[in-house]
Amino acid sequence: MEKKKFLVCIDSDGCAIDTMEGKHKRCFAPLMVKTWGMQEHGEKAEEIWNRISLYSMDRGINRFKGLEMTLRECVDAGFLQEDLTDLREWIGSTDILSNQSLEEQIGKTGSPILKKVLGWSVASNRAIAALPESQMFDGVKEALDMMNRYADLAVVSSANREAVEAEWERHGILPYVKAVMTQDCGSKAVCIARLMEEGYEGDQVLMIGDAPGDQKAAEKNGALFYPAVIRREAESWKRLLQESFSCFLNGTYRGEYARQLTEEFWEALK
Ligand SMILES: [Mg+2]
């Protein structure tokens, strides 16, 4: 396939596909309450989970880091008695926060809390797999169809490859992308860097995402960032199609225009 001048990287969860609310509100949060026996304060505990993982600058945070932060708040609020030391130490000791790396740590330490964390994580995966099929945000297909004429498109996601490819295939948007970069390729910043090795300049690369981590990954590579603003995702895709993508192509995106978008994006996460 011939290389185009521009590259657009697209996050999947919570950006192109509406998966975030279901995963967090119906799986991670209630299963945390169950695993740590917090039913009496379940509503409060779930609210803390959702605030951290969905509605803050930490949106999109790794599940284990989000769990540690949430449990810490529950302990501080006085309705959970749990020693979080082993969890904190494991998080601080590895770059790979996955069930497999957690299993290895349990093998080494036999830590009871880490066993609980693994049980919760496995149960969450099972619950997520059983969720009804997720929807694509309105306007995604139209935007991809239009951008594809001017730019190479790639998925950049921290989810697993099989899940992302299956979802994009099911929604009929997989044919628009030239590459699918997922957790097996490394962090999002590494994925963008690898795609840019094909020869795109920073101002010719746009990362579309719904989390501050997506923005950081773009900035690390000198690339531009377009936010899918939470609760206004469809509107965001429409604006991209009608306005922002032209700014990107004609070189007026960086600077004041990008700054305004970022401001709006951060405001929605407060
Ligand atoms: Mg996302």
Side-chain angles (χ1 to χ4, degrees), residues 11-16 20 59-60 158 188 209-211 214:
D11 170 54
S12 187
D13 276 9
C15 177
M20 291 284 278
R59 177 178 171 88
S158 53
K188 286 183 181 175
D210 65 299
D214 299 323

Side-chain angles (χ1 to χ4, degrees), residues 192-211:
I192 296 170
R194 276 186 46 191
L195 290 162
M196 286 176 72
E197 281 169 11
E198 302 271 321
Y200 307 92
E201 298 297 319
D203 280 8
Q204 297 163 357
V205 180
L206 184 66
M207 169 77 198
I208 305 170
D210 65 299

Side-chain angles (χ1 to χ4, degrees), residues 8-9 18 28 56 89 97 99 101 121 123 142 150-151 190 253:
V8 177
C9 303
D18 190 2
F28 290 129
S56 79
E89 281 181 3
L97 293 169
N99 286 355
S101 108
S121 184
E142 294 77 3
Y150 305 92
V190 168
Y253 193 96

